[in-house]
Amino acid sequence: MGKKQKSQQILLPPDLPPEIPDEEVEFSDDDVKFVNENRAYASLLSNLDTQSITKHVTRVADAKEDALEKLYEQRRQKTALKKEKEETGLQVDRVDALPVKTLDGKVYYRTATKTAPVNAPSEEETGEDGNEDMGLVKLTKAEKRAKLKKIRKEGKKQGKEVAKEELEEVPQAAVLAAVKEDLKVEEDFESKKCKLAEFGNALLTDPESNIKFLKEMVQISKDNDDTIVKLGLLSLLAVFRDIIPGYRIRLPTEKEQEMKVSKTVKKMRFYESTLLSAYKTYLQRLIALEKKPLFQLVAVRCICSLLDSNPHFNFRETLLDATIRNISSSNETIRQLCCSTIKSLFTNEGKHGGEATVEAVRLISYKVKDHNCQLHPDSIEVFLSLSFDEDLAKAEKMDKDQKFKNKKGKKRKNAEASNQLPENDRKKSRQDSISKTREEVEAEYKAASFTKDAMEKRQMQTQTLSAVFETYFRILKHTMQSIVARPEANPGVLSATVGVEPHPLLDPCLKGLAKFSHLIDLDFLGDLMNHLKILASGGSKSGNTSEIFPKSLTVSERLQCCIVAFKVMRTNLDALNVDLQDFTVHLYNLVLEYRPGRDQGEVLAEALKIMLCDDRQHDMQKAAAFIKRLATLSLCVGSADTMAALVTVKHLLLKNLKCRNLLENDTGGGSVSGTIPKYLPYSTDPNLSGALASVLWEVCLLSKHYHPTISAMATGISSMSTENQVFLSKSSPQQAFKDMSIDQELCFEQSGSIKLNNKKRRLTNATSNSIGSTTVTSSFNEDDLRKKFSSHFMVLHDIKENEKLRSKLDKTAKSLQLFEQYKEQKKKRSKPSS
């Protein structure tokens, strides 16, 4: 039994080695080349009996012959099916597909033509016998690698060919598409422009019938194209300025809408509601675009134009808010637009009845408060365009008196009528109805018109004045807080310890106070004068300008404070009892601090006119001090400033006869020296300067000035003659400064044209009757100018040389004094030792 069992056992084949993926097998090109060259050595492998090996490998334990035959039968069926597919071109096996029966009773199978994939292997890749069944015939690893390589190479080639075809097609298509798009954009642009023109023309021709076009124009202005948006905004601006009515639109209430009205009223209501809704949408669009830099200028221009032309219409508050918001813009064009619009509102109050003026002034006041007085000066300078009617109080009194007289007249008539017989009742009722209708008509007329009663006008003016002076006093207070030294701060320390801020609004604030000084309440005048005194001193509460304080104010601003103080004093002579001596001292010190290029000459000329020329008789010592200091100033400034100073000097000499002693050339100075025997040029108080002890030697130098008008003026002062001085004696420093500035500009233009004419003469060798020489004529001779210029600069040169020599002389005298003191000390030391 044991032998039979051993003979029945079947030996199983050894286990196959583990399969390794083809991607992990690495082989070199040298190995493949070696195998191809030495195929003869591989004859052993080609002569192997593959069938027996296959039979042995596919044999399993307890296998029977039926299973093996079944395996071969399946292989044969698959090969036959493959050939049939190739012949018939089927992709689907008929056994697996369901048949279809036609109406004729025929049965057929649905077939589809075979479409080879792009990366499908060729016949060579499938093997010589054409068998693709991986389960039946397996490819070797080398064949698989070669197959994958070929597939990749073909894929790369096909990709490159497709990319080349696309590159050839893309440029042409892109250019054509771009051209088509540009043409389409241009056509859309032209069509929208034409639509805007058509709609605008229709609205201007008949606005009531074509009011529906407003919404379409507003919609076009919301386009993505920036140019179309700007054109739409400007077109709507022109339309609205023309069709907006002269009254404020009030939409009907719900009860009024429920009432039955005529067709004309319905049409008017529809027109007004459509106009108002489109106008509101347009303003919202402007406010949104005003915040964008690209559309800011166009939007602000439209807003200002609408506010200027129609300040009475709806949504005025929105337009005012947007205008005041940009009144201090960094863009000069936008700022000028807003300022000119606000000035137009102030000057043309008949369009809005004064309500817009009150609102604008309040908004500016709030803006100054919010920005802590750090705005552009133009935002406050618009207040100078305001005008106030001072006769309103008189008109109100007259109205009250008239009403009182009318009441008295009615009482008298009633008394007389009671004494007479009773009149007819019909006549009484008729008179009563006539009076009632008159009152109603007057009330309706007042409501429809923009004219206000005297009481209403006075109330609006009071509100405007309070807002204006509140703004001015806020600016003064802010300036005081920023420049006045703190109590705990060391007065010797410079402005590094005290924070100094710029004061851009102080100059227009002082101008406004000077203009409206007669309208200031008397309760505030005392505090105003004290603040102006501190500001004129540059921050020193004691009034002593010699102390070191952080003087952040300029000379022009401090001079303006003095001017305002004098104007306030003159307009309120009966109510104020203030000494202006401190302001006169400030002016005396500011004359030395004045610099022509840095400070404003117009302000200095105005200060000289108001404080010295227009004032009453001055003290002799004070007048002499101003005469001497102004004469010194005239040597260091330009022609216009020099002329203003000399005109003031002449006015003071004409008013104070004893001051003419300064023109005497005595050895010890003037003949009347006063209580102070020596002149102190750097004294801060004009009464303590001792100017009467000096001589006006500056007038002698000015008589040789290069400008003929100044030299003539100085010569006239030195001799105090009245020849050719009629106009100058009547002129003020302001007028002299203005005339000399214009004359100086004309002089430069003429001198430039003279040089050009001389060049033309040299080039063309023309005679004196040339065109260039006859067009422009000079007011004085060139040779005289050269002589005066040379003498003037020689004098200045000699003055500088004398100053150098004097400084050297002083040093030498001091060294000699020190040497003498050294000798004396040495002698004193040698005596005790001896």
Side-chain angles (χ1 to χ4, degrees):
M1 294 294 291
K3 292 180 180 179
K4 290 181 179 180
Q5 290 177 357
K6 287 181 180 179
S7 63
Q8 291 179 359
Q9 288 182 355
I10 299 172
L11 295 175
L12 296 174
D15 296 331
L16 294 173
E19 291 185 0
I20 300 173
D22 296 337
E23 290 80 8
E24 296 182 3
V25 178
E26 297 180 359
F27 58 94
S28 62
D29 296 334
D30 296 334
D31 296 338
V32 176
K33 185 178 180 182
F34 178 80
V35 172
N36 292 330
E37 290 177 355
N38 301 293
R39 284 185 178 275
Y41 294 102
S43 60
L44 175 63
L45 298 174
S46 61
N47 295 330
L48 288 174
D49 189 5
T50 56
Q51 293 181 358
S52 61
I53 293 173
T54 304
K55 179 180 179 182
H56 184 73
V57 170
T58 55
R59 182 165 52 88
V60 294
D62 299 331
K64 296 181 181 180
E65 294 295 334
D66 296 337
L68 186 60
E69 290 178 0
K70 187 179 180 181
L71 182 62
Y72 280 105
E73 186 66 24
Q74 289 178 357
R75 184 183 297 178
R76 187 183 63 76
Q77 288 178 359
K78 287 183 179 181
T79 53
L81 180 63
K82 181 181 179 184
K83 290 179 180 179
E84 187 177 359
K85 285 181 180 180
E86 291 177 356
E87 292 175 358
T88 59
L90 293 176
Q91 266 188 340
V92 183
D93 193 359
R94 288 183 180 180
V95 177
D96 299 330
L98 294 174
V100 179
K101 187 176 182 179
T102 62
L103 296 174
D104 300 337
K106 293 180 181 181
V107 178
Y108 70 96
Y109 291 90
R110 288 184 179 179
T111 58
T113 56
K114 186 177 181 181
T115 56
V118 177
N119 296 327
S122 61
E123 292 181 357
E124 297 177 357
E125 295 170 356
T126 57
E128 295 178 358
D129 55 352
N131 193 359
E132 286 182 355
D133 192 4
M134 300 300 295
L136 300 176
V137 179
K138 293 184 179 180
L139 297 175
T140 61
K141 294 181 180 179
E143 290 176 349
K144 289 180 180 179
R145 295 190 193 103
K147 178 181 176 181
L148 289 172
K149 277 190 175 183
K150 286 183 180 180
I151 292 170
R152 289 171 184 171
K153 288 181 181 179
E154 289 180 359
K156 288 181 180 179
K157 288 180 181 179
Q158 291 178 357
K160 290 180 180 179
E161 291 177 357
V162 172
K164 287 180 180 179
E165 293 178 357
E166 291 178 353
L167 287 173
E168 291 176 356
E169 294 176 358
V170 163
Q172 297 179 358
V175 171
L176 290 174
V179 171
K180 288 180 181 179
E181 188 176 356
D182 293 340
L183 291 174
K184 186 178 179 181
V185 170
E186 289 181 1
E187 291 176 358
D188 293 342
F189 180 75
E190 293 296 332
S191 65
K192 290 174 182 177
K193 281 176 62 178
C194 293
K195 284 183 180 179
L196 285 173
E198 291 175 1
F199 296 158
N201 192 13
L203 283 166
L204 294 176
T205 305
D206 190 3
E208 293 183 359
S209 302
N210 302 314
I211 193 64
K212 58 184 178 181
F213 292 151
L214 267 180
K215 293 183 178 180
E216 297 183 9
M217 291 184 71
V218 172
Q219 193 64 30
I220 292 174
S221 66
K222 296 179 181 179
D223 195 76
N224 295 327
D225 191 359
D226 299 339
T227 308
I228 291 294
V229 172
K230 292 179 181 179
L231 289 174
L233 294 177
L234 294 174
S235 302
L236 284 168
L237 171 64
V239 171
F240 279 122
R241 288 188 62 179
D242 188 77
I243 68 175
I244 284 178
Y247 56 89
R248 194 181 184 91
I249 294 177
R250 184 186 68 83
L251 295 177
T253 60
E254 295 180 357
K255 292 183 179 180
E256 291 176 351
Q257 290 178 356
E258 292 175 358
M259 295 171 61
K260 291 182 180 181
V261 293
S262 62
K263 292 182 179 180
T264 307
V265 175
K266 285 183 180 179
K267 186 177 180 181
M268 182 57 67
R269 284 182 179 179
F270 175 75
Y271 171 76
E272 290 180 349
S273 61
T274 307
L275 174 62
L276 199 59
S277 63
Y279 187 67
K280 182 179 180 181
T281 308
Y282 177 60
L283 291 184
Q284 290 175 352
R285 181 68 174 163
L286 288 177
I287 298 301
L289 293 176
E290 179 258 333
K291 300 175 183 178
K292 297 181 180 180
L294 183 61
F295 303 101
Q296 187 178 15
L297 181 59
V298 178
V300 172
R301 189 182 297 277
C302 295
I303 290 170
C304 293
S305 182
L306 287 173
L307 181 61
D308 187 16
S309 60
N310 303 297
H312 62 278
F313 198 59
N314 302 60
F315 307 111
R316 179 182 62 201
E317 296 80 8
T318 305
L319 294 173
L320 265 176
D321 190 14
T323 306
I324 300 299
R325 193 187 310 122
N326 294 285
I327 200 172
S328 184
S329 175
S330 58
N331 191 341
E332 186 177 0
T333 307
I334 294 175
R335 187 175 65 250
Q336 293 297 331
L337 276 173
C338 297
C339 292
S340 62
T341 303
I342 298 300
K343 289 179 181 178
S344 177
L345 284 180
F346 292 164
T347 54
N348 301 319
E349 290 188 352
K351 292 182 178 181
H352 50 82
E355 295 177 356
T357 301
V358 180
E359 294 175 4
V361 172
R362 283 178 179 174
L363 288 174
I364 293 173
S365 178
Y366 296 153
K367 188 174 180 64
V368 171
K369 182 179 179 181
D370 295 338
H371 288 78
N372 198 19
C373 303
Q374 299 299 318
L375 295 175
H376 196 274
D378 292 344
S379 58
I380 301 299
E381 198 171 357
V382 296
F383 287 163
L384 299 177
S385 301
L386 288 169
S387 59
F388 298 98
D389 191 2
E390 300 178 13
D391 298 331
L392 289 177
K394 297 179 182 179
E396 187 180 0
K397 289 181 179 178
M398 290 175 65
D399 292 339
K400 289 181 179 180
D401 295 339
Q402 189 69 25
K403 289 179 181 179
F404 184 70
K405 288 180 181 179
N406 292 335
K407 287 181 180 180
K408 284 186 176 181
K410 286 182 180 180
K411 289 181 179 179
R412 289 177 182 175
K413 287 181 180 180
N414 293 330
E416 291 177 359
S418 61
N419 295 328
Q420 295 177 359
L421 295 173
E423 296 180 356
N424 194 0
D425 295 337
R426 292 181 180 179
K427 291 182 178 180
K428 287 184 179 180
S429 61
R430 188 177 179 184
Q431 289 178 358
D432 294 339
S433 62
I434 291 171
S435 62
K436 286 182 180 179
T437 52
R438 283 179 180 175
E439 291 177 358
E440 290 177 358
V441 169
E442 289 178 359
E444 290 178 358
Y445 176 74
K446 288 180 180 179
S449 63
F450 292 110
T451 57
K452 304 291 183 181
D453 294 337
M455 189 67 183
E456 294 178 355
K457 287 183 179 180
R458 186 180 182 186
Q459 187 176 1
M460 285 192 294
Q461 283 196 7
T462 304
Q463 294 175 359
T464 305
L465 269 176
S466 62
V468 168
F469 285 123
E470 180 185 356
T471 305
Y472 285 160
F473 293 152
R474 178 176 284 110
I475 294 169
L476 287 178
K477 184 178 179 181
H478 177 266
T479 307
M480 287 283 297
Q481 292 175 354
S482 60
I483 71 166
V484 175
R486 298 175 183 175
E488 64 271 11
N490 187 7
V493 182
L494 294 176
S495 61
T497 58
V498 181
V500 178
E501 296 181 0
H503 312 100
L505 302 181
L506 183 60
D507 187 29
C509 170
L510 294 173
K511 291 179 181 178
L513 287 173
K515 182 178 180 180
F516 305 121
S517 59
H518 60 286
L519 300 173
I520 302 175
D521 193 356
L522 297 177
D523 297 336
F524 303 105
L525 288 179
D527 296 334
L528 177 62
M529 296 297 289
N530 292 331
H531 289 338
L532 290 174
K533 189 183 298 183
I534 295 172
L535 291 175
S537 65
S540 175
K541 292 185 179 180
S542 61
N544 188 7
T545 58
S546 63
E547 296 180 0
I548 301 175
F549 281 99
K551 297 177 182 179
S552 60
L553 296 183
T554 62
V555 173
S556 301
E557 291 172 346
R558 295 165 66 188
L559 287 172
Q560 195 72 35
C561 293
C562 299
I563 294 170
V564 173
F566 268 74
K567 285 185 176 180
V568 171
M569 184 64 185
R570 286 179 183 174
T571 53
N572 300 279
L573 290 175
D574 299 332
L576 285 179
N577 187 13
V578 180
D579 187 13
L580 299 176
Q581 175 66 23
D582 294 335
F583 294 99
T584 307
V585 172
H586 294 326
L587 175 63
Y588 182 74
N589 294 318
L590 289 172
V591 169
L592 281 183
E593 298 180 17
Y594 175 79
R595 298 294 179 270
R598 181 191 64 187
D599 303 317
Q600 300 177 8
E602 299 87 351
V603 179
L604 177 62
E606 186 180 3
L608 295 176
K609 175 182 178 298
I610 293 174
M611 301 177 68
L612 296 179
C613 297
D614 295 345
D615 202 5
R616 297 187 297 272
Q617 189 73 22
H618 294 281
D619 181 54
M620 184 175 62
Q621 192 73 29
K622 186 194 299 183
F626 272 104
I627 290 170
K628 182 65 177 175
R629 181 150 290 189
L630 289 174
T632 306
L633 174 70
S634 60
L635 293 175
C636 309
V637 294
S639 301
D641 299 318
T642 301
M643 198 65 195
L646 289 178
V647 169
T648 309
V649 168
K650 184 174 182 181
H651 274 285
L652 293 175
L653 288 173
L654 290 173
K655 286 183 179 180
N656 300 276
L657 299 177
K658 293 184 179 179
C659 291
R660 297 182 187 178
N661 296 323
L662 295 171
L663 300 172
E664 299 177 2
N665 193 9
D666 294 342
T667 56
S671 59
V672 182
S673 60
T675 57
I676 303 173
K678 186 178 179 182
Y679 174 56
L680 303 175
Y682 297 106
S683 176
T684 57
D685 192 352
N687 295 319
L688 302 177
S689 62
L692 289 172
S694 63
V695 178
L696 283 180
W697 54 268
E698 295 89 353
V699 178
C700 183
L701 292 178
L702 289 172
S703 62
K704 298 180 181 180
H705 199 274
Y706 66 89
H707 202 287
T709 308
I710 294 176
S711 62
M713 184 70 176
T715 304
I717 290 174
S718 61
S719 62
M720 287 305 294
S721 63
T722 58
E723 296 178 3
N724 299 327
Q725 299 297 322
V726 178
F727 170 74
L728 293 175
S729 61
K730 292 182 179 180
S731 65
S732 63
Q734 276 182 299
Q735 188 65 32
F737 180 86
K738 184 178 179 180
D739 295 341
M740 188 58 66
S741 299
I742 296 172
D743 188 15
Q744 193 171 2
E745 291 177 0
L746 294 175
C747 176
F748 281 124
E749 291 178 1
Q750 289 176 358
S751 62
S753 60
I754 290 167
K755 290 179 181 178
L756 291 174
N757 292 330
N758 289 334
K759 289 181 180 179
K760 289 180 181 178
R761 288 174 186 174
R762 292 172 185 173
L763 291 173
T764 57
N765 294 323
T767 58
S768 61
N769 58 355
S770 62
I771 297 174
S773 61
T774 57
T775 54
V776 179
T777 57
S778 177
S779 60
F780 40 80
N781 194 2
E782 290 185 47
D783 296 334
D784 295 339
L785 266 180
R786 290 194 186 94
K787 290 179 182 179
K788 290 184 177 182
F789 266 121
S790 60
S791 62
H792 178 72
F793 289 118
M794 285 298 296
V795 169
L796 294 177
H797 178 71
D798 294 341
I799 291 173
K800 290 182 179 179
E801 290 294 331
N802 290 334
E803 289 178 354
K804 291 180 182 178
L805 292 174
R806 286 176 182 175
S807 63
K808 290 181 181 179
L809 182 62
D810 292 339
K811 289 181 181 178
T812 306
K814 288 181 181 179
S815 61
L816 291 174
Q817 289 178 2
L818 290 173
F819 184 71
E820 290 177 358
Q821 291 177 2
Y822 172 73
K823 280 185 176 181
E824 291 177 359
Q825 291 178 0
K826 193 174 182 180
K827 287 179 181 179
K828 289 179 181 179
R829 291 177 182 175
S830 61
K831 284 181 181 180
S833 61
S834 61

